[in-house]
Amino acid sequence: MKILSNVLSIVILTLFCQLNLIAQEDSLHKQIWQSIGGQEKWDSLQYLAFSAKGNNISDQLANEERKFLFNRTTGACRFDGYTGTDQVTYLFNFKNPGGDKLFIGGNLSTDEAELKKSIKSQLFLDFNLLLLPTLIGQKNVQLKNQKESFSAGQKLTISNILSSTPIFGTKIAGLLYIDQNTGEIARYEYTDKGEKITYEVSNYKEIGDGIRLPSLFNCTTNEQRSCIFSSISSFVQVEQKKFTEL
């Protein structure tokens, strides 16, 4: 009887710990969603536009401000930026290949595969920063091993963020530091090809309909990886020719 009692105690304790971890994760999810306006508002957003500079993925793209406009539902996307001194507009779909158009200096180009690849990769790199608070809504993403920390007067929750499959072309595996007062992500750490990347995340901006997203990612380990999103806007409607015409 004593052995059975001990086994039952272990089972009950294990279940209690698992339920407690689930409750912690659920609470952190809710806190992060509330910090950006709520998951329901985010899920209803259709069009998003942003301008960004820094954290360039390829020398195919000039170190100038780049602009993306995209439809979250269909994947239709428009890029405006530069390669060298030439202005570039690339119309493509990041969910479905084919039917894309690339304009360089106002002229339609039928080549430049590397430039197209660089633009798509840059979009995904920008997504993984700008949309970081929303990635917790992905089914394949988990927040685990939470603990508390105090830093510069901030009370933070530190949590592992891990995706079982790639998101925007990359598996996520890192640490999130969440401000317990606001629910905002204050720091993001991960390793990329052996390089430790640490971002100080700040300057949340309202982009419309009460939705807020972080706009400043200051990389303390590599200045070239820093990125600023100078403008971020959401739209209910967009002229469809924006995705088909120069």
Side-chain angles (χ1 to χ4, degrees):
M1 288 295 292
K2 186 176 181 180
I3 294 175
L4 178 60
S5 177
N6 288 338
V7 170
L8 287 174
S9 296
I10 292 172
V11 170
I12 292 171
L13 182 61
T14 301
L15 287 173
F16 176 79
C17 290
Q18 288 177 339
L19 289 172
N20 187 48
L21 288 172
I22 292 171
Q24 285 182 341
E25 184 175 337
D26 185 56
S27 176
L28 190 59
H29 271 83
K30 288 179 179 178
Q31 193 178 23
I32 294 173
W33 277 121
Q34 288 173 356
S35 75
I36 65 169
Q39 186 172 5
E40 186 175 342
K41 286 185 177 180
W42 173 254
D43 288 343
S44 66
L45 185 152
Q46 178 119 14
Y47 297 98
L48 188 66
F50 64 84
S51 299
K53 188 174 182 180
N55 199 26
N56 283 35
I57 199 168
S58 167
D59 57 10
Q60 291 273 339
L61 301 174
N63 190 27
E64 301 290 341
E65 189 173 67
R66 57 187 177 273
K67 298 179 181 180
F68 284 102
L69 167 67
F70 64 95
N71 183 326
R72 286 185 61 220
T73 303
T74 67
C77 187
R78 179 189 181 103
F79 165 85
D80 290 290
Y82 289 86
T83 179
T85 58
D86 292 325
Q87 190 168 0
V88 175
T89 296
Y90 185 32
L91 312 173
F92 64 101
N93 191 300
F94 66 84
K95 290 185 177 182
N96 303 301
D100 59 342
K101 295 179 182 177
L102 177 68
F103 298 90
I104 300 178
N107 300 311
L108 183 64
S109 174
T110 57
D111 199 1
E112 301 293 344
E114 282 301 313
L115 177 57
K116 291 179 180 180
K117 181 180 178 181
S118 295
I119 292 171
K120 291 178 180 179
S121 296
Q122 185 67 60
L123 173 66
F124 289 162
L125 190 66
D126 289 344
F127 276 173
N128 277 319
L129 293 183
L130 177 65
L131 308 185
L132 181 61
T134 74
L135 299 186
I136 61 170
Q138 301 283 338
K139 293 181 179 179
N140 60 339
V141 173
Q142 290 183 312
L143 299 177
K144 290 186 173 183
N145 305 324
Q146 296 176 30
K147 60 182 181 179
E148 291 187 352
S149 173
F150 290 89
S151 177
Q154 278 184 308
K155 188 176 182 181
L156 302 170
T157 296
I158 306 173
S159 176
N160 288 91
I161 181 170
L162 180 67
S163 66
S164 57
T165 57
I167 297 177
F168 303 127
T170 305
K171 270 193 175 184
I172 295 175
L175 289 176
L176 294 181
Y177 293 70
I178 296 98
D179 188 318
Q180 290 189 7
N181 291 323
T182 64
E184 295 179 354
I185 297 170
R187 190 184 311 159
Y188 177 37
E189 296 178 355
Y190 66 98
T191 300
D192 180 28
K193 298 176 183 177
E195 179 186 8
K196 184 178 179 181
I197 304 296
T198 299
Y199 281 112
E200 299 293 344
V201 185
S202 62
N203 199 19
Y204 277 63
K205 290 183 177 181
E206 184 161 334
I207 66 171
D209 196 30
I211 301 172
R212 303 170 69 249
L213 290 176
S215 67
L216 181 59
F217 291 80
N218 179 38
C219 186
T220 60
T221 52
N222 183 347
E223 186 178 351
Q224 291 185 340
R225 299 295 296 266
S226 293
C227 186
I228 182 169
F229 296 88
S230 54
S231 67
I232 317 165
S233 302
S234 64
F235 302 94
V236 176
Q237 290 182 327
V238 169
E239 293 181 11
Q240 291 307 299
K241 66 180 183 180
K242 286 283 187 180
F243 302 108
T244 59
E245 300 177 17
L246 182 61

